[in-house]
Amino acid sequence: MERGTLGQEADRLLRIASLAEQFNNQQIATDARSAAERIAEGRFYVACVGQFKRGKSTLLNALIGHPILPSGIVPVTAVPTVMRFGQRYGARLRLQRGEWAEIAVHEIEQYVTEEKTRKTERALPGLRYLFPVHCS
């Protein structure tokens, strides 16, 4: 979608938010405003889900052009992972108490693979991977 179309979509969502407020539905108003904000900023969530061992991490690595996420024959990624644009390569772990911790990109596998999280009991709520590559 080009930028002009995104602006139109954001405007439509803001109109929905306004209508929802007129009908006293705060949940729809809040959700519509949030979606309008993400669209205006060009932030989209695309879920990559599927059965075990079906190549989800391999697909995402191919889309960004770098083999960052671990992949293999056995189920590998055991942590919900968000990939997003950043000014530089980086990774952040979401820890059990909710705070974030920076880690080196080459350490990602230590925290997200099923085998290593089972051995070290490092199960984490999530990982955010940042990369300075524009996907198209």
Side-chain angles (χ1 to χ4, degrees):
M1 246 184 235
E2 62 186 54
R3 202 73 183 151
T5 304
L6 292 177
Q8 291 171 357
E9 295 302 323
D11 288 344
R12 288 180 182 132
L13 284 163
L14 290 174
R15 176 77 176 126
I16 290 170
S18 176
L19 290 169
E21 282 182 340
Q22 289 176 21
F23 287 97
N24 294 320
N25 191 322
Q26 279 308 119
Q27 184 64 50
I28 290 175
T30 300
D31 290 347
R33 274 203 183 80
S34 175
E37 214 174 274
R38 286 194 313 272
I39 286 173
E41 293 173 0
R43 285 186 294 137
F44 300 91
Y45 292 101
V46 177
C48 183
V49 296
Q51 296 177 325
F52 293 115
K53 296 175 22 177
R54 297 297 184 211
K56 296 175 293 293
S57 293
T58 302
L59 171 66
L60 293 171
N61 285 336
L63 286 173
I64 63 166
H66 298 281
I68 297 298
L69 297 175
S71 58
I73 296 171
V74 296
V76 178
T77 310
V79 173
T81 304
V82 173
M83 302 174 74
R84 64 182 299 176
F85 175 78
Q87 295 300 317
R88 60 178 177 74
Y89 287 100
R92 295 183 198 143
L93 296 173
R94 181 76 178 218
L95 304 176
Q96 293 293 346
R97 288 179 288 181
E99 70 272 14
W100 291 92
E102 299 268 340
I103 63 165
V105 172
H106 70 272
E107 294 177 328
I108 289 175
E109 189 172 334
Q110 295 176 41
Y111 294 92
V112 301
T113 60
E114 189 173 310
E115 177 186 341
K116 292 187 179 174
T117 57
R118 194 175 338 126
K119 284 182 182 175
T120 61
E121 297 181 8
R122 285 185 177 167
L124 300 166
L127 168 84
R128 180 170 291 155
Y129 168 65
L130 306 169
F131 58 98
V133 176
H134 289 282
C135 299
S136 52

